[in-house]
Amino acid sequence: MRFSQMLIPTLKEAPSDARVPSHVLLVRAGYIRQVAAGIFSLLPLGMRVVHRIERIVRQELNRAGAMEVLLPMVHPAPLWQESGRWQVYGPQLLRLRDRKEFEFALAPTAEEAIVALVRDDVRSYRRLPLNLYQIQDKFRDEDRPRAGLMRGREFIMKDGYSFHVDEEDARREYQNMYDTYTRIFRRCGLDFRAVEADTGNIGGSLSHEFQVLADTGEDSIVSCDACDYAANVEKAVLRRQVGEPPDTSATPPCSPVHTPGVGRIEEVAAFLQTEPQRLLKTLLYIADGKPVAALLRGDRQLNEAKFRTLLGASQLDPASDAQVRQLSGAEVGFAGPVGLAVPLYADLEVVEMGPAFCGANRTDYHLQDVVFGRDYQAQVADLRVAAAGDPCGRCERGRYRHHRGIEVGHVFFLGTRYSEPMRCEFLDREGRLRPMVMGCYGIGITRVVAAAVEQNHDEHGIRWPMALAPFHVILVTAGLEPGIGEMARRIYDDLQVRGVDVLYDDRDERPGVKFKDADLIGIPVRITVGRKALSDGMVEVRRRDGKLDTRVPLQEVASVVSSMVQRELEMGVAGA
Ligand code: ATP
Ligand code: MG
């Protein structure tokens, strides 16, 4: 393609609301334009990157035995009422009405639609297993769309669903998809981790997220430095055993201390001239309408996902200030476990704390010398967020390292969460009617675009991995002499014959402008034909990642560059 004929509207300035590199660079380099909050158009360059990703995804999924379909994006409400999600999905679901006042949803995912398809056409165990996927726009009315393509409201997702006769077969396919995702993200040239994930309230028990490692990621993940365990911190296990509690036989009975106006942990610790570790933090929550309290060491964070799982609650929210006042009988900041009339749940570490300070359930007062088991009782469990340096909960030898990640894919064992209520059933060998066992598998195609940029950029622009680059090579002319254009056209033709995608910057611009744009757009290899080529027949070949900057004879450049490109693309496939 010729630059002069393409729509590549590069900009000097980033949009004022763009904070993360991928948002800034994808807009500045002319890949995307915002239409409304979280809603974007893809320009020709953006579309080419999306096609690269989709091609890898299709190749690997088809190879793994999955079949592509295309479901509608507009789903009738009765379908969603069957699964119960019409009632529980909440404000992320965009609901609409047609001219006859029938209600519809814009699909945020498609479990209902795929189940409706399969249950009508698959009746026998002989037709199972089945793995169907689609690549389609999804809509989620996100509370805070942000970071460009990273968290949009409308975005492209690959969503896949598999159907099985039993759990064992569903688990086999889960592993098949796990391996397939690993190949897909390797071929994309991304640095990623597959991590254990919380299954949330979708139900199901087995779930992995594929996380691209990047400082700007929203997700927090830990990995063990000794074994291969890695998990989202929402899920990451710590140890299951309580350590030895310290001897508190000589501890005096607990007694109140006056702490006027200091309610926050750090303030209380400073006021009492102690460490936050010596304080007991009491957090009041409402679980499915009932009050509960979580107890943690003062310097620790509650892991709400673990707490919700322990309680078996579908809804868990922090108590409001008014509820805290009502439950503790004191201002916010002075709640404590002693005499608190709600079910108490303590993190493992609480048992090991020894005499502690905690709120007295009385405004402006704390208690000192509070001892677990003596002054209060609680159910003990692993409730806190894993942090860097914590011992690994899996091997118990290593320690956790902390990373930030961008969730680009998700594999999920669903079980019969949808097939049971929606009666997606088959006749087994013995002629009995049974619900199919399901798995679901997502990839955020447009989020992969953003994640790739987060991981591959510098101060001048994007640095695409070869497999995702919109073009493999950018060919730049520097100088207006007719001989220069002629040489460039010859290289351009030669590269195209060899199957290399070339963007030919034939614009009537100064070389400096062209070089700046080339760096911004981020194409992996740049060939420059300048005046010197007229005299010595040498052209410049420079890689965007800085690994190569050399001069090559005009006659050889197409073959040298095309084998470089091919080698890199094949390496990606072989490595996967
Ligand atoms: P998140 O936790 O980031 O909100 P999710 O768990 O809701 O994501 P899934 O339902 O698992 O996401 O969707 C499958 C994939 O779709 C995700 O792994 C992610 O890559 C992508 N995705 C989800 N929400 C968005 C969004 N708002 N914008 C872009 N991609 C998204
Ligand atoms: Mg997810």
Side-chain angles (χ1 to χ4, degrees):
M1 300 283 266
R2 285 164 183 264
F3 204 128
S4 59
Q5 290 161 10
M6 266 189 89
L7 178 63
I8 309 179
T10 56
L11 302 172
K12 284 209 176 62
E13 296 295 328
S16 60
D17 63 330
R19 308 248 183 299
V20 300
S22 64
H23 188 185
V24 170
L25 293 173
L26 288 169
V27 173
R28 280 195 54 212
Y31 286 77
I32 61 170
R33 284 293 180 266
Q34 183 168 317
V35 176
I39 300 178
F40 290 84
S41 297
L42 291 170
L43 276 61
L45 286 182
M47 205 57 222
R48 290 181 75 96
V49 177
V50 163
H51 281 153
R52 297 268 197 234
I53 300 165
E54 289 181 349
R55 183 160 175 271
I56 294 173
V57 167
R58 285 197 172 94
Q59 280 182 354
E60 292 297 336
L61 282 172
N62 295 350
R63 183 151 86 99
M67 287 161 281
E68 185 167 359
V69 294
L70 186 58
L71 302 166
M73 199 190 160
V74 179
H75 296 178
L79 205 52
W80 278 65
Q81 281 152 358
E82 277 190 60
S83 70
R85 285 210 295 178
W86 184 259
Q87 294 78 3
V88 300
Y89 207 93
Q92 272 204 8
L93 188 67
L94 186 66
R95 298 156 206 254
L96 358 139
R97 280 171 202 278
D98 70 4
R99 64 173 81 202
K100 296 188 180 126
E101 295 290 309
F102 287 128
E103 288 189 294
F104 294 87
L106 272 194
T109 89
E111 283 83 358
E112 287 81 0
I114 197 90
V115 164
L117 176 80
V118 170
R119 73 175 165 192
D120 288 343
D121 286 293
V122 181
R123 296 276 167 72
S124 158
Y125 73 91
R126 283 194 215 92
R127 304 282 296 277
L128 295 173
L130 264 184
N131 186 335
L132 303 170
Y133 73 93
Q134 63 170 344
I135 296 179
Q136 186 212 38
D137 272 18
K138 294 290 179 300
F139 196 94
R140 294 183 183 180
D141 199 355
E142 300 274 0
D143 177 24
R144 274 183 300 146
R146 59 175 285 277
L149 298 185
M150 205 105 86
R151 181 168 298 283
R153 292 197 293 166
E154 181 174 342
F155 54 96
I156 305 175
M157 192 202 284
K158 185 289 289 185
D159 48 326
Y161 309 87
S162 68
F163 298 82
H164 308 271
V165 295
D166 57 21
E167 190 171 319
E168 191 190 337
D169 196 57
R171 284 180 185 270
R172 176 202 50 73
E173 188 64 11
Y174 182 95
Q175 188 61 46
N176 182 25
M177 285 298 108
Y178 181 102
D179 297 340
T180 302
Y181 274 37
T182 304
R183 280 198 299 275
I184 288 171
F185 295 120
R186 275 202 195 129
R187 277 186 63 182
C188 288
L190 298 171
D191 182 13
F192 68 97
R193 280 291 170 96
V195 307
E196 282 191 9
D198 179 49
T199 50
N201 43 18
I202 314 175
S205 50
L206 189 56
S207 163
H208 283 88
E209 289 165 354
F210 287 75
Q211 296 270 1
V212 165
L213 304 183
D215 294 339
T216 47
E218 278 186 349
D219 283 315
S220 226
I221 59 189
V222 288
S223 65
C224 175
D225 61 11
C227 73
D228 60 5
Y229 181 70
N232 193 307
V233 290
E234 289 176 359
K235 166 87 180 180
V237 289
L238 291 157
R239 59 216 160 97
R240 269 138 293 184
Q241 304 298 318
V242 186
E244 196 56 28
D247 180 11
T248 50
S249 53
T251 307
C254 67
S255 57
V257 258
H258 193 209
T259 49
V262 286
R264 293 194 21 247
I265 290 286
E266 299 74 31
E267 293 167 358
V268 180
F271 183 87
L272 295 171
Q273 298 189 328
T274 182
E275 303 291 313
Q277 290 96 291
R278 301 273 328 277
L279 262 60
L280 189 59
K281 180 149 82 178
T282 307
L283 301 170
L284 286 157
Y285 274 79
I286 307 296
D288 292 339
K290 297 200 187 72
V292 289
L295 306 173
L296 292 132
R297 218 171 76 176
D299 57 333
R300 300 303 198 184
Q301 298 300 316
L302 174 71
N303 183 327
E304 289 188 7
K306 287 182 185 172
F307 195 28
R308 193 178 55 225
T309 307
L310 176 74
L311 296 168
S314 48
Q315 190 71 26
L316 181 71
D317 299 300
S320 66
D321 288 0
Q323 285 167 324
V324 170
R325 277 186 218 111
Q326 195 226 326
L327 292 165
S328 70
E331 275 305 314
V332 175
F334 298 95
V338 182
L340 191 65
V342 306
L344 302 177
Y345 299 87
D347 178 61
L348 297 175
E349 275 181 340
V350 166
V351 181
E352 299 154 20
M353 276 175 72
F357 295 93
C358 67
N361 299 320
R362 182 177 162 200
T363 303
D364 291 344
Y365 283 90
H366 279 74
L367 295 178
Q368 60 187 354
D369 297 318
V370 174
V371 173
F372 175 86
R374 184 189 75 176
D375 301 316
Y376 67 96
Q377 302 287 345
Q379 183 178 331
V380 179
D382 169 20
L383 284 182
R384 71 178 175 90
V385 174
D390 276 334
C392 171
R394 178 62 55 82
C395 71
E396 301 191 354
R397 281 181 293 120
R399 296 204 167 260
Y400 284 142
R401 271 196 286 251
H402 181 263
H403 322 259
R404 299 211 70 89
I406 302 166
E407 178 194 327
V408 289
H410 197 171
V411 293
F412 205 101
F413 174 81
L414 267 179
T416 57
R417 161 69 183 88
Y418 293 90
S419 50
E420 247 176 272
M422 296 187 70
R423 306 211 53 168
C424 181
E425 298 164 330
F426 68 102
L427 286 170
D428 69 10
R429 263 172 213 282
E430 283 76 41
R432 282 174 312 197
L433 206 53
R434 283 170 38 188
M436 297 182 198
V437 180
M438 292 176 61
C440 70
Y441 319 97
I443 292 181
I445 303 280
T446 37
R447 192 181 278 182
V448 171
V449 178
V453 176
E454 289 300 327
Q455 214 169 55
N456 299 280
H457 68 270
D458 60 17
E459 69 274 26
H460 305 297
I462 304 171
R463 289 162 45 158
W464 290 109
M466 190 63 83
L468 301 191
F471 292 93
H472 304 129
V473 175
I474 183 163
L475 175 64
V476 179
T477 50
L480 295 173
E481 289 79 352
I484 291 178
E486 219 164 275
M487 277 189 283
R489 275 192 299 280
R490 233 184 297 147
I491 298 170
Y492 180 52
D493 290 341
D494 201 355
L495 282 168
Q496 295 202 92
V497 169
R498 292 166 193 266
V500 177
D501 286 329
V502 196
L503 178 61
Y504 173 22
D505 192 350
D506 59 340
R507 290 176 301 166
D508 183 7
E509 289 280 2
R510 280 179 296 112
V513 172
K514 295 185 178 187
F515 293 156
K516 264 211 161 63
D517 275 347
D519 281 352
L520 180 62
I521 293 165
I523 294 167
V525 185
R526 189 183 84 194
I527 302 175
T528 309
V529 186
R531 275 191 199 100
K532 283 205 76 187
L534 287 173
S535 52
D536 66 5
M538 302 286 276
V539 298
E540 226 181 80
V541 175
R542 181 176 170 275
R543 288 189 53 123
R544 179 67 180 86
D545 61 14
K547 285 186 189 147
L548 185 78
D549 190 353
T550 184
R551 287 159 58 75
V552 177
L554 182 63
Q555 288 76 15
E556 287 166 31
V557 69
S559 99
V560 167
V561 168
S562 85
S563 35
M564 179 160 53
V565 170
Q566 293 311 335
R567 209 175 329 117
E568 209 159 310
L569 290 173
E570 279 158 22
M571 238 156 51
V573 179

